[in-house]
Amino acid sequence: MTTTTNNEHKKLNVPNLRFKEFQGEWEKCKLGDYGKVVTGNTPPTKDIENYENGTYLWASPADLGTIKSITTTKTKLSSKGFSKTRSLPKGSVLVTCIGSTIGKTGMATKEMSTNQQINSIIVNDNNDNEFVYYAIQSAFPRYLSSIAVQAVPIISKSAFELLPNKRPCLQEQKEIGRFLSLLDERIATQNKIIDKLQSLIKGLNDSLYARYGNEVSTSFASLGTSYSGLSGKSAQDFGSGKPFITYLNVYSNNVINEKEFQYVTIKEGERQNVVEYGDVLFTLSSETPEEVGIGSVYLGKDKVYLNSFCFGIHITNTDVAFPPYLSYLVSSTSFRKFIYPYAQGSTRFNLCKADFEKASIKLPSLENQKRIYSMLKYIANKIETEKNLLGLYNSQKQYLLRQMFI
């Protein structure tokens, strides 16, 4: 590859980074020049036969953005339903053009269709579909800046076709597309590695608890302090004074991190419940029973304050419970089933703290808790390493998108 200095780049219509065998300026074009633009549609949902036993891929924005190749979709259509949509051939480039996920892209791996939130380009023979995919990804931050400010951002089909772009000759397009595709394949492989490790840690968590989880019987009240639990206060209770940290979101797969904190102001001297190392946290209310009470052990160094959306149990009886292990216990399938009966409600599900504290919970022995934690933590650390590597790959891709396109 060859590089072009900034001064040269200003004079010539060329990218900063380029394969050395190619010369000459890129030409200006519009997205509509790359091929036929197709806006998706939705078969009538009242007719169940459009979706029943579906095998045809039908993409929505939720199916785009994670990886390039669309090999499956959350919703599939029957042959009847698919016949009522606008068919896209393999290699079509899909772009979300409405809503909060506007700009998410994907590429069809076989004949498929989309809903109306997606505009797709059926790339013509004068252009390379791989290049078109990356050219759109590179340019979309500029496109977003030109969209009028509105509650729901949208790019219509006609506006999408007129979005400006730049392109080289077909052979250079193919070289760029092939090169970036190799990097995307590595990113896809990295995502699979992480998914398999996450499946492994979940499977081990469940199987180890099933094997050792009946060794000790105790209640959350007996695990906690003399007043059983810590209840937080709402933001409305906070007055002026020194700012402290409180929780907005208190449940996650494992350890709560700094992104889930929010600064608020409380009155000086006002009594607040403090979360410390090893405390177990639970949500009080949720729209689904599966989310109620799915807590985590806080493993941070600083003390934080609870808000009204959660309560915590401070582990004082460390002869029975190893606090770091509980961060995995509360994310296990067994614990989720255990907590369901305490989530009550019709439109929202609320965890009854008083009843929950009295509930008896089965635990492995303290020795086995430490062994299980050590094993799962090793895999968790491996997952974090792989995630960091994935981040580097994605950063490299973003750099190349900026340098290899105009």
Side-chain angles (χ1 to χ4, degrees):
M1 284 189 175
T2 59
T3 56
T4 305
T5 65
N6 288 334
N7 289 334
E8 291 173 326
H9 182 260
K10 291 177 181 178
K11 295 179 182 179
L12 299 173
N13 203 21
V14 296
N16 290 328
L17 190 61
R18 195 176 193 184
F19 291 102
K20 62 181 181 180
E21 62 266 32
F22 298 105
Q23 304 295 325
E25 295 188 63
W26 288 23
E27 68 170 357
K28 294 180 180 179
C29 66
K30 300 181 289 292
L31 293 190
D33 296 329
Y34 287 127
K36 180 182 178 181
V37 176
V38 176
T39 301
N41 64 310
T42 300
T45 55
K46 292 182 179 179
D47 187 351
I48 191 63
E49 292 183 358
N50 288 328
Y51 302 88
E52 195 171 34
N53 300 318
T55 57
Y56 289 88
L57 302 187
W58 181 70
S60 70
D63 300 306
L64 273 60
T66 304
I67 57 175
K68 179 176 71 174
S69 300
I70 302 173
T71 58
T72 187
T73 53
K74 296 183 183 298
T75 302
K76 293 183 177 65
L77 301 178
S78 65
S79 57
K80 178 181 178 181
F82 189 72
S83 68
K84 299 176 181 178
T85 62
R86 302 178 181 109
S87 175
L88 302 170
K90 177 181 178 180
S92 298
V93 178
L94 286 58
V95 185
T96 301
C97 288
I98 184 172
S100 60
T101 59
I102 191 168
K104 291 175 66 176
T105 54
M107 183 175 288
T109 57
K110 60 180 178 179
E111 186 182 23
M112 63 176 296
S113 58
T114 77
N115 73 3
Q116 59 273 17
Q117 293 175 279
I118 296 173
N119 284 320
S120 303
I121 301 177
I122 302 175
V123 180
N124 58 37
D125 293 338
N126 297 323
N127 296 280
D128 178 70
N129 63 330
E130 300 282 356
F131 171 85
V132 173
Y133 173 84
Y134 295 111
I136 293 174
Q137 280 199 336
S138 175
F140 221 91
R142 298 197 305 271
Y143 298 157
L144 287 176
S145 65
S146 65
I147 298 174
V149 177
Q150 51 189 322
V152 181
I154 183 172
I155 303 176
S156 66
K157 175 186 174 183
S158 58
F160 182 78
E161 291 173 326
L162 296 176
L163 289 173
N165 210 263
K166 295 183 177 71
R167 61 184 174 183
C169 67
L170 180 57
Q171 187 57 41
E172 187 171 0
Q173 287 185 35
K174 290 182 177 180
E175 285 298 313
I176 294 171
R178 181 191 63 81
F179 176 74
L180 291 174
S181 290
L182 292 174
L183 180 56
D184 254 337
E185 287 176 10
R186 185 63 189 88
I187 290 173
T189 299
Q190 192 65 19
N191 274 306
K192 290 179 182 178
I193 291 172
I194 294 170
D195 288 344
K196 287 182 178 180
L197 285 171
Q198 289 174 333
S199 296
L200 174 62
I201 200 170
K202 182 182 184 304
L204 277 176
N205 191 16
D206 289 345
S207 62
L208 290 171
Y209 184 78
R211 181 174 181 179
Y212 299 107
N214 293 316
E215 295 176 336
V216 178
S217 181
T218 187
S219 69
F220 277 102
S222 66
L223 291 177
T225 60
S226 58
Y227 50 88
S228 299
L230 305 169
S231 296
K233 295 190 176 183
S234 67
Q236 288 82 357
D237 295 329
F238 299 142
S240 61
K242 185 178 179 181
F244 291 105
I245 292 176
T246 188
Y247 284 111
L248 273 184
N249 302 312
V250 298
Y251 59 90
S252 60
N253 287 335
N254 268 295
V255 180
I256 294 172
N257 56 53
E258 190 174 353
K259 293 180 180 178
E260 294 171 313
F261 298 157
Q262 181 189 16
Y263 285 94
V264 297
T265 301
I266 64 173
K267 294 178 181 179
E268 283 284 2
E270 183 179 12
R271 183 182 180 278
Q272 297 289 324
N273 286 315
V274 178
V275 180
E276 300 181 1
Y277 177 91
D279 288 355
V280 189
L281 308 177
F282 300 94
T283 54
L284 286 170
S285 179
S286 176
E287 293 181 357
T288 62
E290 290 79 8
E291 291 179 342
V292 170
I294 303 304
S296 179
V297 174
Y298 176 67
L299 297 178
K301 297 180 181 179
D302 299 325
K303 294 181 179 180
V304 298
Y305 292 85
L306 283 173
N307 70 8
S308 62
F309 300 110
C310 63
F311 70 91
I313 297 178
H314 184 62
I315 307 300
T316 55
N317 189 354
T318 54
D319 291 333
V320 175
F322 180 56
Y325 164 74
L326 297 181
S327 64
Y328 294 104
L329 170 65
V330 296
S331 63
S332 68
T333 300
S334 296
F335 184 83
R336 289 170 185 265
K337 290 180 179 179
F338 164 79
I339 207 171
Y340 287 169
Y342 303 98
Q344 305 170 359
S346 54
T347 57
R348 289 190 67 86
F349 297 86
N350 301 293
L351 184 64
C352 182
K353 186 168 80 75
D355 292 339
F356 179 66
E357 288 174 348
K358 301 173 185 177
S360 177
I361 184 172
K362 301 289 186 177
L363 292 173
S365 67
L366 190 63
E367 181 181 7
N368 280 332
Q369 288 180 51
K370 292 179 179 179
R371 287 176 176 174
I372 295 170
Y373 170 78
S374 179
M375 183 184 303
L376 298 180
K377 185 62 177 176
Y378 177 83
I379 301 173
N381 289 339
K382 175 64 174 172
I383 292 174
E384 286 306 307
T385 299
E386 298 300 336
K387 284 183 176 180
N388 290 335
L389 184 56
L390 176 62
L392 293 175
Y393 288 139
N394 282 320
S395 296
Q396 184 182 35
K397 177 183 174 181
Q398 293 306 311
Y399 171 80
L400 292 171
L401 287 175
R402 291 191 300 268
Q403 298 301 314
M404 296 182 72
F405 293 86
I406 304 174

